[in-house]
Amino acid sequence: MMSALLVRATYIDWILASSKTWQIRGSSTTERERIGLTRSGIGKVVALADLVEVIVPLRRADFVSYAQKLGLRKSEMTGGSSYARPHAWVLKGARRLKSRFVTSILEETSF
């Protein structure tokens, strides 16, 4: 079964538009594979992306330097992350699933 990552709707749209290539998480993973992007609130995989790298640890200054990878401008950065040790999950090749292929998550996936 494919792993899936729960992501806010706005962020999924940014990832699909290639304006956001990093998804910040509180932990790392050794997985490097195609994953599902699950839209929070509906629990359905709506897109796929390749998880190609995890960058750790990120410092507060890194968030300003790499704002564009988060889909933001430097002027929009107000601080770091709410995670004690933030990790940048690097995503590439995101593509939306056609509505007939959108699937419910049937079992919990741990990352």
Side-chain angles (χ1 to χ4, degrees), residues 4 13 15 25 30 41-43 54 64 70 75-76 79 84 92 103:
D13 292 339
I15 291 166
R25 292 293 187 212
T30 58
I42 65 169
V54 176
V64 174
L70 299 167
S75 62
E76 296 174 306
K92 290 192 176 177
T103 58

Side-chain angles (χ1 to χ4, degrees), residues 5-97:
L5 186 63
L6 189 64
V7 181
R8 291 181 187 166
T10 302
Y11 294 163
I12 287 179
D13 292 339
W14 294 357
I15 291 166
L16 288 167
S18 297
S19 59
K20 179 176 173 56
T21 57
W22 284 10
Q23 181 63 28
I24 303 301
R25 292 293 187 212
S27 62
S28 187
T29 181
T30 58
E31 304 296 325
R32 302 295 181 270
E33 63 185 359
R34 181 162 297 146
I35 60 172
L37 300 178
T38 304
R39 186 178 301 266
S40 61
I42 65 169
K44 293 187 183 288
V45 175
V46 297
L48 301 175
D50 296 319
L51 174 58
V52 298
E53 183 179 7
V54 176
I55 300 171
V56 295
L58 290 177
R59 299 165 305 169
R60 181 174 294 274
D62 294 331
F63 283 90
V64 174
S65 298
Y66 296 109
Q68 71 202 33
K69 295 180 182 297
L70 299 167
L72 301 168
R73 290 187 280 275
K74 288 183 181 184
S75 62
E76 296 174 306
M77 294 302 298
T78 58
S81 169
S82 59
Y83 296 113
R85 284 197 72 212
H87 300 66
W89 291 28
V90 182
L91 303 172
K92 290 192 176 177
R95 56 220 160 271
R96 188 178 303 278
L97 293 174

